[in-house]
Amino acid sequence: MTAESFIILLYILVLASYVGFELINKVPPTLHTPLMSGSNAISGITIVGAIIACNVLNYGAISKWLGMIALILATINVVGGYALTDRMLKMFKKK
Amino acid sequence: MTAESFIILLYILVLASYVGFELINKVPPTLHTPLMSGSNAISGITIVGAIIACNVLNYGAISKWLGMIALILATINVVGGYALTDRMLKMFKKK
Amino acid sequence: MNILIQIAYLAASILFIIGIKMLGRTSTARKGNFLSSLGMFIAIFATVIQVEAITLVDILICVIIGSALGLFIAFKVQMTKVPEMVALFNGFGGLASLTVALADFWLNTQEKGLQVDQITGISVAISILIGGVTFTGSLIAYLKLNGKVSGKAITFTGQHLINLLLLIAAVGVSVFALTDFSNPTFMIALAILSLVIGVLVVIPIGGADMPVVISLLNSYSGMAACATGFVLNNNVLIVAGALVGASGIILTQIMCKAMNRSLINVLLGGFGQTSGSGNQADGPEIAVKEVGVEEAAQIFDSVSSLIIVPGYGMAVAQAQHAIRELSELCEKRNINVRFAIHPVAGRMPGHMNVLLAEANISYDKLIEMDEINDDFANTDLVFVVGANDVVNPAAKTNPDSPIFGMPVLNVEKAQTVIVTKRSMGKGYAGIENELFGADNCLMLFGDAKQTITKLVGELKEL
Amino acid sequence: MNILIQIAYLAASILFIIGIKMLGRTSTARKGNFLSSLGMFIAIFATVIQVEAITLVDILICVIIGSALGLFIAFKVQMTKVPEMVALFNGFGGLASLTVALADFWLNTQEKGLQVDQITGISVAISILIGGVTFTGSLIAYLKLNGKVSGKAITFTGQHLINLLLLIAAVGVSVFALTDFSNPTFMIALAILSLVIGVLVVIPIGGADMPVVISLLNSYSGMAACATGFVLNNNVLIVAGALVGASGIILTQIMCKAMNRSLINVLLGGFGQTSGSGNQADGPEIAVKEVGVEEAAQIFDSVSSLIIVPGYGMAVAQAQHAIRELSELCEKRNINVRFAIHPVAGRMPGHMNVLLAEANISYDKLIEMDEINDDFANTDLVFVVGANDVVNPAAKTNPDSPIFGMPVLNVEKAQTVIVTKRSMGKGYAGIENELFGADNCLMLFGDAKQTITKLVGELKEL
Amino acid sequence: MKLGVLKESKEKEKRVALTPELVKQLIKKEFEILIEQGAGDESKFSDSDYIAAGASIASKSEICNTDVILKVNAPTLEEANLMKNGAISISLLYAYTQKELLEVFKTKQISAFAMDAVPRISRAQKMDALSSQANLAGYKSVIMAADALGKIFPLMMTAAGTITPAKVLIFGAGVAGLQAIATAKRLGAVVEVSDVRLETKEQVESLGGRFLVVEGADEVKTEGGYAKEVSAEFLAKQKKLVEDKIKDADIVITTALVIGKKSPLLVTEEMVKSMKSGSVIVDMAVESGGNCELSEFNKTVVKHGVTIIGESNLPALLPINASQLYATNISTLLLHLANKEGFKWEMEEDITKGALITHQGELVHEFTKSILSK
Amino acid sequence: MKLGVLKESKEKEKRVALTPELVKQLIKKEFEILIEQGAGDESKFSDSDYIAAGASIASKSEICNTDVILKVNAPTLEEANLMKNGAISISLLYAYTQKELLEVFKTKQISAFAMDAVPRISRAQKMDALSSQANLAGYKSVIMAADALGKIFPLMMTAAGTITPAKVLIFGAGVAGLQAIATAKRLGAVVEVSDVRLETKEQVESLGGRFLVVEGADEVKTEGGYAKEVSAEFLAKQKKLVEDKIKDADIVITTALVIGKKSPLLVTEEMVKSMKSGSVIVDMAVESGGNCELSEFNKTVVKHGVTIIGESNLPALLPINASQLYATNISTLLLHLANKEGFKWEMEEDITKGALITHQGELVHEFTKSILSK
Ligand SMILES: NC(=O)c1ccc[n+]([C@@H]2O[C@H](COP(=O)([O-])OP(=O)(O)OC[C@H]3O[C@@H](n4cnc5c(N)ncnc54)[C@H](OP(=O)(O)O)[C@@H]3O)[C@@H](O)[C@H]2O)c1
Ligand SMILES: NC(=O)c1ccc[n+]([C@@H]2O[C@H](COP(=O)([O-])OP(=O)(O)OC[C@H]3O[C@@H](n4cnc5c(N)ncnc54)[C@H](OP(=O)(O)O)[C@@H]3O)[C@@H](O)[C@H]2O)c1
Ligand SMILES: NC(=O)c1ccc[n+]([C@@H]2O[C@H](COP(=O)([O-])OP(=O)(O)OC[C@H]3O[C@@H](n4cnc5c(N)ncnc54)[C@H](O)[C@@H]3O)[C@@H](O)[C@H]2O)c1
Ligand SMILES: NC(=O)c1ccc[n+]([C@@H]2O[C@H](COP(=O)([O-])OP(=O)(O)OC[C@H]3O[C@@H](n4cnc5c(N)ncnc54)[C@H](O)[C@@H]3O)[C@@H](O)[C@H]2O)c1
């Protein structure tokens, strides 16, 4: 990775982190768990990495297997995470 | 500009704009003018562009003169803006 | 690209973010401004160390000239003229963006004879357009506030149509400029068009709305800087510009709300045309000055003595509890608060006493008319809550008035008077009250309870 | 890099931002979750269309297996077990990050025999370390909550020292790995070390603190994803990972506050050892959950029925006027508000009646204990203002208590109870109140009048 | 000029026309003041207080010999006969009830001002004794009723059960009625109010009372704020509405007066019978015939289990405050009409015109003439 | 089991031990109830109300023949003698003042419970007649004082001048004192309060009163919430502090009791003399000797220009509410001690132990013993 593209990625990291900090300020306790669960699902974004990994790697190689395991795990995280969050939130229907 | 570097700049633009939106939510009316003035000073960041412009350009050329005019204007904006904001804010020292 | 310089730019960006954040709170505003100026210094420094020695001199000269002018203006200007100075500075910023973009474009296309890519081209066009509008728009705002151009809204028919046509023209010119880079005419035409648009957009707006316009133009100048960033492929310009652009929009929105206008209205440039109060009363019309809750709150925030004058309207609105809250809040801010009780305020003897006692307002804050009447002259602010006849100066000055001879409270002697009532409706005696038209009197229309509750809310945020 | 794909990634990033923002409000949470899942779909879709046809099958198989497992767990799990499931999912996410980084590293260094640059190397190491810790840490949290591992804090001396040593070892191993890419041992060692650290860090933490731990690990897994983004030079991973990492930290902090702990405490991993409330009272200690004014306001905002229980503390604080304001505000928001008056609340018969009448609260809102006691079970929120003995369940459950046999208000039957008082101070009877430690009870510490005034302010802004 | 203050001779009267405080103020304006011995005793102002304020203590005949004789109630025939020719009398005269006295005034050329006839215009509010006294009466009516009731006013939720708040029903939201509402409300009662003037609704609500709207109430004519006589139809409707309410009332206070007429009958015997045993009625209009059929002048009676208080002179039961306010009223009027040199006799001025009843041997007051000639 | 309710025979007593409401509830629990004819008349409960509730009307002798005899006041000797051997009596006995009566109880093996001796523990609050009655007394004391005062309570700024608020000084912030504060405050008075227990300061302030802090007040010992006797030194200091305040007071209400002892003397003749003419004192401790030197038992007297109300039985002046609350108190106690089968006689249980005075021919109450043996 070049220093230049690294610095650009750093910009993105800093700004995104700042956005993350600002996003959450007052959350009612009832939403703590759903929020945690929902953002956990987002952290399953590694799935994109896993797919890319699976793609470029050669069959039979360790890396390929690792990639496929990663993909399964990430998919569980993403799909399970979103479904669970939604189930939880359904119960919050107001009034 | 390559599409790639453009996209990265776009990321930065989007994230920075989002940060800008989130930054301001409740501003007491007394701070409207100072805030306006202070962020106006920041928008004088064009000064960086002006310096870069001055640097690369050739003497005598129209672009050089334009760059120098830009530099003077931007400097007024920056220096005047910060100084004025500070003067204003000094008066807020409460009771 | 030197990595250290990039890191410096990143640091500057972070400082800008923190700076703006802190500018939004009274307690941290000054520090915020300092941090943001530090960021600016870092950004400039990181840029300057890259320049060739030979141009350093030119740059220094320009910077010194600019700084001197900037400081001179900043320190000489009277504090009452701040908004117009902000407008002026802002205009310079916009012009700088325009110039930088044009310079870069000129250099590449005219002097170096290069082709520029589409994205850069579009960025240049945006930079020029926004920069130009910002420049002349700000200039007009400056002149209006300064009184050099009429503060009134200058309108003519077809205004909006003309603006629209000009905008279409600008877009068209840009397209031509992008298709044929070698011909600079189009870019120059764009620059000129943008300057004209700036003038036309701001000219129809009344002086009272200028702060909103300036805030919006400020946001524009941020966007111009951002566009310049795309032209120069420079992150700090993009971040800082985007920050100012976005936060400026929000700030504009907040200011609009405080002035009771909608942002759409503002964005369309059609604001400033409806004027004044909507309350039409019959009889000889009294011209009154209306005040909003926010402004009223700021007046409360700035005084050190306050007399509250309750009347029958307080009883009707059942505003006594809200008033107690207001008075407690004021006392917490070291404002000396007293109540002036007129002997016939309300509709029965002791009407005000009953209600204020219910709201738990201590007896020693309630002062009889005879005792307090001489104190009004030394009082910063009188807040009249739903009283009318008992503060009507006609009782002293107009022998034909049915209340002539009745002793009244001399509220008009105070520095400022704020009256809250629902409308220009009359009191028990059914007569007009000239107090409401007095120079130092501001009307805060609305139901007393609701208005005071809102006032308390605003005051808490100051 | 295809620009359309990049734009899809950008769109996904924006959807994540909006999604998280909306998840923080009751009214928009579900929509927020949907938007964020939409973002995820876009990101996955944009990625999948790039893959070679030949691997598409593998990918689909993996995705189907993963989806099936995920959906199965998500829909089968009991709602009471949600936190542990979140922990498990989170662990998988962490492991996925570790695996992807390792795979990429393995491919480049072992299979392709390439050198990787330092930045990528560091990113890989970070990815592995954080991913590993997240995985085993989450697993332990899962097992603890599940009861498969003792929920108690498992501690031994030198724990912190060992953790520190392991961390140093991990750093050391990473340095070696970076200096000699051809040797995979170090990276594998790092992976193993990270797994061990994850176990050791979470093992000493008590079951009650697990939600905070999970939230923190969630934040970690975001960071791991972010690091993976650096490995793969992928923006959407960086943005999404950074978002989760940062917002997770804030959320953790909020949860800490709600549980009366400091974030430092949590970050050091030393939490869970000091237990219960900070208020050292003698006798059996009651662990309470504190709530801030803002959160309390949000709870008020989300309910449709409210019972206010005033006690002697309301009288001491003279909070009756503030309470009236609160109740009016709630009614304006269509919340059904009533007051439960315990016959001996206060210090004289009718103490509450006098004060509430003074504050002009209508008689028909005041309900006697006997009439309202059955309604608590159908009530969303009970707000206890400076009452203590009259809501003490010990009167019903503890025959040794001096107040045993006194009828009390069944506040604990309500969905949620918020109690406002200055401290864990006792009431007239001088006894502990277990209500304050109940699962559905939140303490809002402070002087009743001040707290409620603040609460009203917050509520107005929602 | 010499002013004289007579001791009140009416039964149960405890007020006095001037207090030491006001004596002091009038003496500053160079009036000479004689006070009858013991005049202030009942309202707790001793002779020595008056002397300290600058007045002299004198006998009745001496005082009747002064230029201006101040009283709360109208002078008796005896007092009038003692007065010198051409003297001036100021008091709550209620001239239209004093045919005989007016004859004496006429023959002796006495100029009589009636405090009760001072017009209710804004600048005369300080002289408005009707308001100042009615205000106190409104307060007192509630206190008396509260003392007579075997219950407490406020809602109280106690360990031994809940006490429901007392229900108070008030007829007439004039000055007295409004103060009664305020006082009953303060003590925690639930207050309902009936009045013929719909405009009082807002005023009643501003004090926390509930106004009972009679359909057709907008037809009632008012003049200068006073209710004129109302139609029989309206009264019938009002009665119907009230019949329901009165059954639950613990306390009924009636304040409905129509000036110069017999007061309207608002509470019939039937209604009293329908009330709960132990309830209390205060009839403030008892002097002009009463709003309640069963009330007896200056007596408290129990009929059908209901205590009916027919006290005609409630302000006199708060003599200290009542005298203070009356003294301010009367001396403000005096200072408006006269200075130490004598009276100004501006016969066309509103207040003089409104309050002067007899002058130079003639009955000059139109309203009084019109009533007496009926 | 048969319960009997006697008509109260004490002078000025208007209460009754059971109301129809409570009769209904007890009958649901299968008690049989006899009410003496006219027992509820004074508190507005008619015989027919009782009959409708399920009780029977009976003569005094019939009632004395029931198993449990309920009264407000202690039975008279005559009534006690009419009771059957082994009967049970419940009333506000104040046993330590009833030497003779206790002898009768002992000889007739009557078990007597004293409502005034029910311990003030949390679960007995519903039986606490002292509190329920003191509470009403506190309200009534203010209403009586307000009626007796020649002034109004609230501050009033009117066209005819400003009326300053009445100043009320209250001694003792027990149950009665606190309710007096609340009531006076509601009416708009300025209230100052003196008590020996510093802990009442917060309570007084919670009702808007001003607490007069006596230096050294922390030395006072209290037991179970009751003030024990205080040192002479403390009382001297308190006196000094109060002397200043009392001069300005319009109303003084004293509620200071020390159980089983003569009440402390708080308002001396000197102090009364220093008060303004027309002021009012209500001495609520008059039954046990009075807090005011000049108060007379059950009389209202005027001394040195000050009206001193020595009404010993204020709750009886609010008979409707007082009976309601007392009836709840007494029936709660009864249901605690007994069911339709009979009494449980759990002699070691707190409430039984606290309230039972004589049993099986013996005086079993320690506190009463200790006072009587002095
Ligand atoms: N005190 C007595 O004993 C007595 C007795 C009888 C008559 N009066 C007479 O009553 C008058 C009293 O004077 P005052 O100044 O107290 O009252 P006022 O002159 O009657 O004026 C009251 C004002 O309050 C406003 N108002 C009504 N409802 C309101 C609400 N909900 N929120 C805000 N404002 C409201 C009305 O204006 P909008 O409609 O524009 O809101 C009105 O102009 C005097 O003329 C006096 O002579 C007094
Ligand atoms: N009603 C009667 O007739 C009567 C008479 C005598 C005794 N009692 C007894 O009094 C008790 C009444 O119960 P209750 O629940 O009303 O009161 P409580 O049990 O005495 O509790 C009052 C609570 O209010 C809190 N508090 C005090 N000042 C406060 C302030 N400024 N802001 C917020 N909170 C404040 C205190 O906690 P912090 O210190 O932590 O803030 C205290 O725990 C019962 O035990 C009853 O038996 C009643
Ligand atoms: N100048 C001033 O500012 C001033 C001063 C004092 C009073 N006033 C006004 O004068 C008016 C009269 O006051 P007042 O106290 O002398 O009144 P009042 O004693 O003449 O009558 C008392 C009330 O009884 C009502 N009433 C009459 N017949 C009734 C019926 N059949 N049923 C129910 N109610 C009936 C009247 O409407 C009036 O409100 C009021 O409007 C008052 O506001 C004005
Ligand atoms: N179980 C319960 O919850 C419960 C119920 C009712 C009352 N109480 C408590 O019992 C206590 C006594 O109540 P009470 O009304 O029977 O009191 P009381 O009638 O015995 O005494 C009245 C007050 O007079 C005060 N006093 C005594 N000597 C005094 C002096 N020299 N000067 C000034 N004040 C003096 C006392 O301190 C007391 O406050 C109170 O603390 C009350 O809160 C508790």
Side-chain angles (χ1 to χ4, degrees), chain A residues 30-76:
Chain A
T30 29
L31 282 181
H32 286 174
T33 308
L35 185 56
M36 189 164 83
S37 173
S39 64
N40 171 47
I42 295 178
S43 76
I45 189 72
T46 332
I47 192 171
V48 167
I51 295 173
I52 295 173
C54 280
N55 187 36
V56 290
L57 311 177
N58 307 320
Y59 252 106
I62 291 179
S63 59
K64 176 79 185 180
W65 289 114
L66 283 176
M68 285 178 72
I69 291 171
L71 185 51
I72 293 177
L73 290 171
T75 311
I76 297 178

Side-chain angles (χ1 to χ4, degrees), chain E residues 78-269:
Chain E
E78 182 211 336
E79 286 163 350
N81 279 316
L82 280 175
M83 293 181 196
K84 64 181 181 191
N85 268 7
I88 294 160
S89 158
I90 314 182
S91 64
L92 282 166
L93 191 56
Y94 293 103
Y96 48 88
T97 65
Q98 299 281 4
K99 214 163 180 166
E100 271 180 89
L101 183 63
L102 295 188
E103 289 311 317
V104 179
F105 284 166
K106 281 199 268 186
T107 44
K108 298 199 75 173
Q109 305 260 339
I110 291 170
S111 300
F113 288 95
M115 289 297 294
D116 53 289
V118 171
R120 276 182 160 174
I121 53 178
S122 291
R123 71 172 190 279
Q125 285 174 125
K126 217 175 166 172
M127 314 164 195
D128 186 352
L130 287 186
S131 283
S132 74
Q133 305 299 302
N135 182 37
L136 295 174
Y139 167 87
K140 186 69 190 180
S141 66
V142 173
I143 298 294
M144 283 184 88
D147 196 35
L149 186 70
K151 288 170 133 185
I152 63 171
F153 268 35
L155 167 74
M156 221 176 255
M157 291 163 167
T158 77
T162 294
I163 300 177
T164 52
K167 291 217 176 73
V168 177
L169 180 58
I170 294 177
F171 289 86
V175 175
L178 289 175
Q179 192 58 257
I181 297 168
T183 308
K185 202 60 204 165
R186 284 185 118 141
L187 272 174
V190 172
V191 183
E192 291 185 317
V193 184
S194 169
D195 196 310
V196 287
R197 294 180 297 135
L198 193 61
E199 70 205 75
T200 58
K201 181 170 185 285
E202 191 186 58
Q203 300 172 14
V204 167
E205 285 165 357
S206 85
L207 288 162
R210 222 170 74 71
F211 187 82
L212 303 174
V213 183
V214 179
E215 311 290 314
D218 24 29
E219 295 159 24
V220 177
K221 289 170 213 102
T222 56
E223 200 180 273
Y226 293 94
K228 297 258 92 180
E229 221 172 350
V230 289
S231 69
E233 184 206 348
F234 177 89
L235 289 179
K237 279 184 188 161
Q238 190 189 36
K239 197 179 146 195
K240 198 128 185 252
L241 174 66
V242 161
E243 269 167 0
D244 285 343
K245 298 288 171 184
I246 213 163
K247 283 181 208 141
D248 295 328
D250 295 299
I251 288 182
V252 173
I253 295 175
T254 67
T255 75
L257 293 174
V258 179
I259 209 157
K261 304 243 171 189
K262 195 179 170 311
S263 358
L265 176 62
L266 300 173
V267 183
T268 61
E269 177 155 12

Side-chain angles (χ1 to χ4, degrees), chain C residues 310-313 316-317 343-349 386-391 406 420-429 446-449, chain E residues 122 125 202:
Chain C
Y312 181 57
V316 173
V344 300
R347 289 290 181 275
M348 71 161 201
N388 192 339
D389 297 344
V390 300
V391 294
M406 176 172 97
T420 186
K421 58 203 296 285
R422 294 165 308 182
S423 64
M424 287 301 285
K426 291 164 188 167
Y428 184 82
D447 175 76
K449 184 176 170 188
Chain E
S122 291
Q125 285 174 125
E202 191 186 58

Side-chain angles (χ1 to χ4, degrees), chain B residues 1-3 5-6 8-10 12-14 16-59 61-95, chain C residues 9 16-17 20-21 23-26 29-30 33 36-37 40 43-44 47-48 50-52 55 58-59 62-63 65-67 69-71 74-77 79 82 85-86 89-90 92-93 95-97 99-100 103 106-107 111 117 119-120 211 214-215 218 221-222 225-226 230 232-240 242-244 246-247 250-251 254-255 294 298 301 333 461-462:
Chain B
M1 201 189 293
T2 65
S5 64
F6 171 69
I8 299 260
L9 293 180
L10 209 58
I12 293 177
L13 171 65
V14 167
S17 301
Y18 190 86
V19 171
F21 281 128
E22 286 286 319
L23 277 180
I24 314 267
N25 34 21
K26 291 177 215 155
V27 185
T30 25
L31 282 181
H32 287 173
T33 307
L35 184 56
M36 188 164 84
S37 172
S39 65
N40 171 47
I42 295 179
S43 76
I45 189 72
T46 331
I47 194 171
V48 168
I51 294 173
I52 294 173
C54 282
N55 187 35
V56 288
L57 312 176
N58 306 319
Y59 252 106
I62 290 179
S63 60
K64 176 77 186 184
W65 287 114
L66 284 175
M68 284 179 72
I69 290 171
L71 184 51
I72 292 177
L73 290 171
T75 312
I76 296 177
N77 188 2
V78 169
V79 176
Y82 280 116
L84 189 61
T85 312
D86 195 55
R87 238 188 99 191
M88 245 185 287
L89 289 171
K90 253 192 241 165
M91 308 196 314
F92 281 110
K93 259 190 229 126
K94 267 200 80 163
K95 297 171 193 177
Chain C
Y9 280 171
F16 290 150
I17 293 176
I20 292 186
K21 174 109 191 162
L23 266 171
R25 269 199 221 134
T26 325
R30 204 162 167 221
N33 193 48
S36 125
S37 69
M40 186 61 77
I44 295 175
T47 315
V48 168
Q50 308 171 65
V51 303
E52 291 155 33
T55 52
D58 307 340
I59 289 173
C62 293
V63 167
I65 295 176
S67 301
L69 282 172
L71 288 175
F75 285 106
K76 249 219 53 187
V77 69
M79 282 324 271
V82 164
M85 278 308 134
V86 174
F89 288 155
N90 192 43
F92 291 164
L95 187 55
S97 288
T99 325
V100 170
W106 200 269
L107 174 76
E111 292 166 16
D117 61 291
I119 294 171
T120 311
I214 296 175
S215 176
N218 178 34
S221 76
C226 188
F230 275 84
L232 300 176
N233 198 348
N234 183 303
N235 296 330
V236 75
L237 275 172
I238 295 177
V239 172
L243 279 177
V244 173
S247 67
I250 302 290
L251 183 60
I254 291 175
M255 289 170 76
E294 294 86 355
Q298 280 183 290
D301 190 40
R333 296 168 168 249
E461 297 197 356
L462 291 185

Side-chain angles (χ1 to χ4, degrees), chain C residues 282-359:
Chain C
D282 48 357
E285 226 168 84
I286 294 176
V288 301
K289 287 193 285 298
E290 246 188 272
V291 74
V293 176
E294 294 86 355
E295 281 165 83
Q298 280 183 290
I299 298 175
F300 272 84
D301 190 40
S302 68
V303 302
S304 64
S305 55
L306 166 67
I307 294 178
I308 299 177
V309 177
Y312 181 57
M314 175 191 83
V316 173
Q318 291 284 295
Q320 62 268 30
H321 298 281
I323 287 182
R324 185 191 45 80
E325 232 196 310
L326 178 68
S327 73
E328 279 179 5
L329 200 61
C330 288
E331 275 169 3
K332 235 191 252 164
R333 296 168 168 249
N334 289 322
I335 301 171
N336 174 16
V337 183
R338 291 178 299 169
F339 291 78
I341 311 297
H342 190 281
V344 300
R347 289 290 181 275
M348 71 161 201
H351 203 160
M352 299 299 112
N353 294 123
V354 178
L355 299 174
L356 295 176
E358 178 193 307

Side-chain angles (χ1 to χ4, degrees), chain C residues 341 343-344 349-350 353 363 366-368, chain F residues 155-159 162 165 188 190:
Chain C
I341 311 297
V344 300
N353 294 123
Y363 279 165
L366 313 185
I367 319 288
E368 293 180 79
Chain F
L155 167 73
M156 220 177 257
M157 290 164 168
T158 77
T162 295
V190 173

Side-chain angles (χ1 to χ4, degrees), chain A residues 1 9 13 17 25-26 36 39-40 43 45 55 57 59 61 63-64 66 73 77 82 86-87 90 94, chain D residues 30 36 52 55 58 74-75 77 90 93 99 107 111 117 218 221 226 230 235 237 246 254 298 301 458:
Chain A
M1 197 191 294
L9 294 180
L13 170 65
S17 302
N25 34 22
K26 293 174 208 160
M36 189 164 83
S39 64
N40 171 47
S43 76
I45 189 72
N55 187 36
L57 311 177
Y59 252 106
S63 59
K64 176 79 185 180
L66 283 176
L73 290 171
N77 187 0
Y82 279 116
D86 194 58
R87 239 189 99 192
K90 252 192 239 166
K94 260 196 78 157
Chain D
R30 201 159 170 224
S36 124
E52 292 153 33
T55 51
D58 307 340
F75 285 106
V77 70
N90 192 44
T99 325
L107 174 76
E111 293 167 14
D117 62 291
N218 178 34
S221 77
C226 189
F230 275 83
N235 295 330
L237 276 173
I254 291 174
Q298 280 185 290
D301 189 39
E458 286 296 329

